[in-house]
Amino acid sequence: MVRRLILNLLLLCLSLAGGAQSHYLPMPAPSDSVTISLLTCAPGSEVYELEGHSALRMQYGSTDIVANWGIFDFSSPNFIYRFCKGETDYCIGVLPADRFFTQYAIYHRRVTGQVLNLTEAEARDVIAIVDRNLDPPDRMYRYNYVLDNCATRPLAVIEKALGQKITFHAEPFRAEPTFRSEMRWFHTHYPWYQFGIDLALGTGIDSLISLRATMFAPVELERLISTATIRTPEGEIPLVRATHTIVPGPAEGAILPPTPWYLTPLSVCWMIFAITLVVSIAGCRRSRLFKGFDAILFGICGIAGCVIAFLVFISVHESTSPNWVLAWLNPLALLVPLLIFSGAGRRCLRWYFYINILLCLSALAVAVGGIQVFNAAFYPLILADLLRSACFILISRNVTK
């Protein structure tokens, strides 16, 4: 992580170096032939690298540079808070191509270059657009994971230079794609990361998306653009003239090995349910409330509920609201650790547990009805929540009698 941060900061410094000039890029001479390539970097091991990375390579005369829209700074003030709130700013940077390739060679991540079939005027327009994009007012942009990122920006530059939309002829890689299904495909080896995404993002990522929308993932952009065509006076021609592997490496990238089955969220959550079932059976037989167990279980649910409530009501992230997970995980669960250790508090908690059962059943109905796709690991946790709520009501009634 530290090395990646240093590299990102280096890219930022390099891109800022020409800020006082009339142009931020060296302009091609009239005699120069300009070549524009779309670069695609294979996935990396960090969670923000799992879909790969895209950039634009510009070659003319003695210049060989790469425009990269994936630069961010962890050290900027309140980075984590602003990231959670959806106010994360990324920026464009330009650096020599050999330095760009070196950083991916270090991590054995393959880099592929697709040479675009542009006219000389269109290629020069790409350089002009990137040059304007480097101007301080335009350099920063509000990053959006699926709508505005390092893949969508180069594609927008290419289409602006062409003056037309690109026609894609490939079929979707997965039937009836949604943003959630696309994410799950790329996060197969990172089930806990996907578990967190399924907690944080709501119904907005469960709608069917177009073929074009799947290109938020750089590796999908690479696949689809390989079959794309553009209109010319002579007719339709391929957008990609040639494809080269610049940095060798495995196609799947440098992702980590699969998570062992017994450490996946589904296995861990069923284990939690099994422990909850044992505790509940013992409590019902002895008419005993395991107050410490409930305080921990519902305390964790309440803290998670505070995070989800923040994302739903405060964050400006796309697709965090509506999120029906909030019916199951909500801040009200914090009442349990606050009240369960006092007699008067336990009498009040009985009403909370009645309400909690209704909320959990509502969440299950939403998932079963297909309104929002739940992670499979949610179900044992919801069942554990329901079980402890029912046991509290039953045991507290018996104690009162």
Side-chain angles (χ1 to χ4, degrees):
M1 181 67 73
V2 173
R3 286 182 294 180
R4 283 171 169 76
L5 176 58
I6 292 172
L7 286 169
N8 274 321
L9 291 176
L10 175 61
L11 295 180
L12 183 58
C13 292
L14 287 167
S15 68
L16 295 175
Q21 303 171 6
S22 58
H23 287 292
Y24 299 89
L25 295 177
M27 291 293 105
S31 59
D32 287 339
S33 176
V34 181
T35 300
I36 306 295
S37 302
L38 175 68
L39 301 179
T40 304
C41 311
S45 58
E46 301 293 344
V47 293
Y48 55 84
E49 300 171 334
L50 297 181
E51 286 83 20
H53 182 54
S54 296
L56 280 182
R57 184 183 189 184
M58 297 165 283
Q59 298 169 277
Y60 48 95
S62 60
T63 301
D64 189 0
I65 53 179
V66 173
N68 174 16
W69 282 266
I71 299 172
F72 60 93
D73 182 5
F74 271 125
S75 65
S76 60
N78 304 313
F79 178 86
I80 299 299
Y81 172 77
R82 289 189 296 105
F83 184 85
C84 294
K85 193 179 177 183
E87 297 178 348
T88 307
D89 291 327
Y90 276 45
C91 72
I92 179 178
V94 174
L95 77 163
D98 57 347
R99 295 188 184 180
F100 180 85
F101 299 139
T102 297
Q103 64 175 313
Y104 287 94
I106 291 173
Y107 298 104
H108 307 290
R109 293 174 61 184
R110 188 178 72 174
V111 179
T112 303
Q114 292 171 297
V115 181
L116 303 181
N117 211 357
L118 306 180
T119 65
E120 191 67 28
E122 290 165 346
R124 289 172 181 267
D125 280 345
V126 169
I127 296 172
I129 294 168
V130 172
D131 186 65
R132 290 194 296 270
N133 203 177
L134 286 166
D135 193 58
D138 300 322
R139 182 179 291 130
M140 307 296 295
Y141 72 96
R142 183 55 50 84
Y143 174 84
N144 183 293
Y145 183 63
V146 294
L147 300 178
D148 196 357
N149 61 19
C150 69
T152 62
R153 287 263 160 169
L155 180 60
V157 169
I158 295 167
E159 288 189 324
K160 188 173 183 179
L162 287 168
Q164 61 175 287
K165 290 285 187 181
I166 298 168
T167 303
F168 298 94
H169 299 281
E171 293 295 322
F173 192 67
R174 285 159 287 282
E176 299 185 339
T178 65
F179 282 128
R180 197 185 303 271
S181 68
E182 293 295 295
M183 292 175 190
R184 287 182 173 179
W185 172 265
F186 292 108
H187 305 161
T188 302
H189 289 196
Y190 292 69
W192 285 104
Y193 179 48
Q194 186 60 46
F195 180 85
I197 287 176
D198 290 338
L199 281 176
L201 301 184
T203 58
I205 62 170
D206 289 322
S207 301
L208 294 179
I209 59 175
S210 65
L211 179 70
R212 186 183 184 84
T214 65
M215 288 181 282
F216 77 92
V219 294
E220 192 72 352
L221 172 60
E222 177 191 26
R223 182 181 77 87
L224 294 176
I225 212 169
S226 65
T227 63
T229 59
I230 52 177
R231 294 188 305 274
T232 69
E234 292 74 30
E236 293 274 328
I237 64 170
L239 174 60
V240 175
R241 187 170 71 232
T243 301
H244 307 289
T245 299
I246 302 169
V247 176
E252 65 274 12
I255 57 176
L256 298 177
T259 301
W261 68 268
Y262 52 86
L263 294 179
T264 62
L266 186 61
S267 298
V268 170
C269 291
W270 275 116
M271 190 180 303
I272 292 172
F273 173 78
I275 295 171
T276 304
L277 181 61
V278 171
V279 170
S280 300
I281 292 173
C284 289
R285 286 180 175 177
R286 303 177 189 177
S287 292
R288 176 187 170 187
L289 293 173
F290 286 89
K291 296 186 286 291
F293 182 85
D294 286 338
I296 294 173
L297 179 64
F298 286 94
I300 294 172
C301 290
I303 293 171
C306 288
V307 174
I308 295 172
F310 172 86
L311 293 173
V312 170
F313 297 112
I314 298 178
S315 172
V316 294
H317 267 301
E318 293 284 339
S319 306
T320 56
S321 179
N323 185 355
W324 289 97
V325 170
L326 190 61
W328 156 49
L329 293 178
N330 58 73
L332 291 176
L334 291 174
L335 292 172
V336 177
L338 292 175
L339 301 177
I340 199 168
F341 294 103
S342 70
R346 285 195 293 274
R347 286 191 291 274
C348 294
L349 277 181
R350 188 185 303 177
W351 293 106
Y352 160 74
F353 282 115
Y354 279 122
I355 295 172
N356 187 55
I357 288 175
L358 291 176
L359 289 173
C360 288
L361 290 176
S362 299
L364 286 174
V366 165
V368 173
I371 298 174
Q372 181 173 332
V373 177
F374 278 15
N375 191 293
F378 292 177
Y379 295 105
L381 294 180
I382 296 175
L383 292 176
D385 197 323
L386 286 168
L387 184 58
R388 290 310 298 160
S389 298
C391 284
F392 184 95
I393 294 170
L394 178 63
I395 294 171
S396 61
R397 276 182 174 179
N398 292 338
V399 170
T400 302
K401 290 179 182 179

